[in-house]
Amino acid sequence: MSESVYYILGFAIALILALALTPLVKRFAFRVGAIDKPNHRKVHTRIMPRLGGLAIYVAFAGGLLVLLPFAPEGMLNSYDINLIRAMLTGGTIIVLVGALDDRFELSAKVKLLGQLIAAAIVVFGFGVKISLVNIPFGDAMQPIADWISIPLTILWIVGVTNAINLIDGLDGLAAGVSGIAIGTILIMAVIMGFEPIILLSVLLLGGIGGFLVYNFHPAKIFMGDSGALFLGFSLATLSMLAFKQVTIVSFVTPLLIIGVPLSDTFFAIVRRWINKKPIFEADKGHLHHCLRDMGFSHQRTVLIIYGVAAFFGMCAIIQTVVVRSDAANWITFAVICLMMFCLQIGAELIGIVDKTKRPVINFIQRKLLKPGAETRSK
């Protein structure tokens, strides 16, 4: 069996499993009381089943268990198998924590503890961690001490896991954005020939694709925390395994891949800090809420965010594949500055931080106005 056929088979297995399991999980969610009731902060207006993440997880894990014994000879070595085991073990813990939250609504502290345990198992149990640093504006790759790499790795896993959870507010949004990010990782892994990342990515995409049939608007089931946390954990792990260079310059690639959830999380923290509200207190100021407030329909809002996520993914691919000149670091730095500026302008336009304050836009307008223009306009 060729590797391409092997990967296509993996995608098909995960897709079929997700398509078959999601209706069963829906009935199971109603039976055990894992439901999402409407309230002032949520968009849906009727009781919805959660636990949809179980279908994605079982499709992923089931496909993995079926495929591994038939892997083409020489495709996966012991190091690759260790990476796969790390992701499967940590993902299992994350899904269990999420499923319990879907049913019993765990406190934020308990969920955070579960995420820390999963991240710690990946780091200490399997030795998977960010271990190299790329000296800015130079070519030297240097190892970093454990007292830096271990907390950095755990922070990355927990941070990305929660970022996906925060954007799970509209039908198909978190699943679609995660699928686009994983698809970006898949393309880059194919270019680099990194077999374990290709295998894990196609299985996840198959599971997400099958689930989206039932989750896209109008949704028949929500993925719940079991799905959002699992996809966040998977993205964090995949991006960390595929792109190990860690500095403000070279780490831009994985940041771009998950640019939508990370930027939404960043602005949520800033918004709550400015309004003197607890960081972990839910609100209706996220990107999808702001787009809905601007008059976009449910489906169009999701598609707009898909487009933004795809743009971030395209930039990540270009950043890694195309920019290989001596001036690459300077170009990367310029891209970072430009994208941060665009993010700030976009945030002010849609009011994701504060609907009344637009400091950068106002500053630009003042500088562009001719002397006396502001007086004449009154």
Side-chain angles (χ1 to χ4, degrees):
M1 183 188 304
S2 66
E3 290 186 6
S4 59
V5 172
Y6 184 73
Y7 296 136
I8 293 172
L9 181 61
F11 176 83
I13 291 173
L15 178 68
I16 293 170
L17 283 174
L19 286 170
L21 289 171
T22 303
L24 301 178
V25 170
K26 177 184 175 181
R27 290 198 287 270
F28 177 72
F30 274 123
R31 180 171 298 180
V32 301
I35 56 176
D36 197 333
K37 298 179 180 179
N39 60 33
H40 69 283
R41 191 179 59 84
K42 298 176 180 178
V43 175
H44 64 282
T45 56
R46 58 191 175 92
I47 294 176
M48 292 290 294
R50 296 195 282 195
L51 281 179
L54 287 181
I56 300 175
Y57 168 76
V58 175
F60 166 76
L64 195 57
L65 294 176
V66 169
L67 282 179
L68 280 180
F70 303 100
E73 185 177 355
M75 192 183 86
L76 300 174
N77 55 38
S78 58
Y79 176 76
D80 298 334
I81 296 298
N82 184 64
L83 298 181
I84 293 172
R85 287 175 178 171
M87 184 166 167
L88 188 60
T89 304
T92 301
I93 295 172
I94 286 290
V95 167
L96 289 175
V97 172
L100 289 173
D101 182 64
D102 287 341
R103 174 58 184 86
F104 300 106
E105 296 188 2
L106 306 177
S107 68
K109 291 181 180 179
V110 173
K111 287 195 291 185
L112 179 60
L113 177 62
Q115 296 164 25
L116 288 171
I117 291 173
I121 287 176
V122 170
V123 173
F124 296 106
F126 294 91
V128 177
K129 59 187 177 181
I130 300 168
S131 57
L132 296 174
V133 64
N134 182 14
I135 304 301
F137 306 102
D139 298 323
M141 292 292 295
Q142 299 293 336
I144 54 177
D146 284 346
W147 67 271
I148 297 177
S149 66
I150 289 175
L152 182 63
T153 303
I154 292 175
L155 178 63
W156 174 255
I157 292 175
V158 173
V160 176
T161 298
N162 282 285
I164 296 298
N165 195 30
L166 285 177
I167 67 168
D168 186 23
L170 295 179
D171 298 350
L173 180 57
V177 169
S178 298
I180 292 169
I182 292 170
T184 301
I185 293 174
L186 172 61
I187 292 172
M188 300 174 75
V190 169
I191 293 172
M192 295 184 292
F194 200 177
E195 286 85 359
I197 302 300
I198 298 174
L199 175 61
L200 295 173
S201 296
V202 297
L203 289 171
L204 284 169
L205 284 175
I208 292 171
F211 175 72
L212 266 175
V213 172
Y214 304 95
N215 183 239
F216 198 75
H217 186 70
K220 300 177 179 64
I221 184 174
F222 291 163
M223 66 163 57
D225 274 22
S226 55
L229 294 180
F230 173 64
L231 291 180
F233 173 84
S234 300
L235 267 174
T237 308
L238 284 177
S239 60
M240 182 180 66
L241 295 178
F243 316 105
K244 299 178 182 179
Q245 300 177 5
V246 183
T247 63
I248 191 172
V249 173
S250 59
F251 208 41
V252 68
T253 300
L255 290 177
L256 285 172
I257 291 172
I258 50 178
V260 169
L262 281 189
S263 58
D264 195 33
T265 301
F266 170 76
F267 287 123
I269 293 173
V270 173
R271 179 176 63 251
R272 293 164 189 172
W273 178 73
I274 290 176
N275 295 321
K276 298 180 180 179
K277 293 183 178 180
I279 296 298
F280 295 103
E281 179 181 295
D283 59 22
K284 294 191 70 172
H286 290 287
L287 174 59
H288 53 277
H289 292 127
C290 293
L291 291 173
R292 289 299 305 277
D293 290 342
M294 294 174 68
F296 292 107
S297 66
H298 190 124
Q299 193 173 63
R300 182 158 294 185
T301 296
V302 172
L303 293 176
I304 288 173
I305 299 177
Y306 281 3
V308 176
F311 172 74
F312 274 115
M314 181 180 65
C315 290
I317 294 172
I318 294 173
Q319 164 64 30
T320 299
V321 177
V322 176
V323 182
R324 296 185 180 278
S325 65
D326 293 336
N329 283 313
W330 288 105
I331 296 174
T332 300
F333 185 75
V335 169
I336 294 173
C337 293
L338 178 61
M339 296 201 70
M340 289 181 66
F341 175 76
C342 292
L343 281 174
Q344 178 62 29
I345 295 296
E348 292 183 12
L349 286 174
I350 66 174
I352 196 171
V353 175
D354 191 306
K355 297 187 182 299
T356 61
K357 298 178 180 178
R358 297 181 172 183
V360 176
I361 292 177
N362 290 338
F363 175 80
I364 293 173
Q365 288 176 338
R366 286 196 302 268
K367 293 298 182 181
L368 291 178
L369 283 174
K370 296 180 180 179
E374 187 174 0
T375 302
R376 291 193 301 268
S377 65
K378 293 182 180 180

